[in-house]
Amino acid sequence: MPLTQTGVKILLLLCREHPHAVSRSALLQHLWGSQPPDSDALKSHIYALRKQLELAGAAGVLVTIPQLGYRLALDSAAPP
């Protein structure tokens, strides 16, 4: 599945933290350090990653946790 470098970084962090959620601030820090972009680039990268996962048959794997961040839902037994 073709992913951008940023998409790979997001996916690796979410895999490493699975089954726990990763906050938006932790993702921003992981991707851009102390100088995150002014735009909502993270949202764009998450959107693109979701689309690639859907194309690979993994729709619904990347879950948004409102007011927190994101997590991978790799099995139905994983806690939110």
Side-chain angles (χ1 to χ4, degrees):
M1 149 175 79
L3 295 176
T4 65
Q5 184 177 13
T6 302
V8 170
K9 287 180 181 180
I10 292 169
L11 194 55
L12 286 174
L13 180 60
L14 291 170
C15 285
R16 188 171 42 225
E17 296 299 323
H18 179 266
H20 305 289
V22 178
S23 69
R24 287 181 50 85
S25 61
L27 277 166
L28 289 169
Q29 177 67 33
H30 180 73
L31 295 172
W32 293 290
S34 61
Q35 297 182 351
D38 291 333
S39 66
D40 200 0
L42 179 59
K43 188 175 181 179
S44 297
H45 286 291
I46 292 290
Y47 176 83
L49 180 56
R50 272 199 179 110
K51 288 296 176 190
Q52 286 304 116
L53 289 169
E54 287 173 11
L55 289 173
V61 169
L62 180 52
V63 178
T64 300
I65 307 298
Q67 306 301 314
L68 177 59
Y70 306 93
R71 76 173 190 93
L72 293 179
L74 300 177
D75 58 62
S76 58

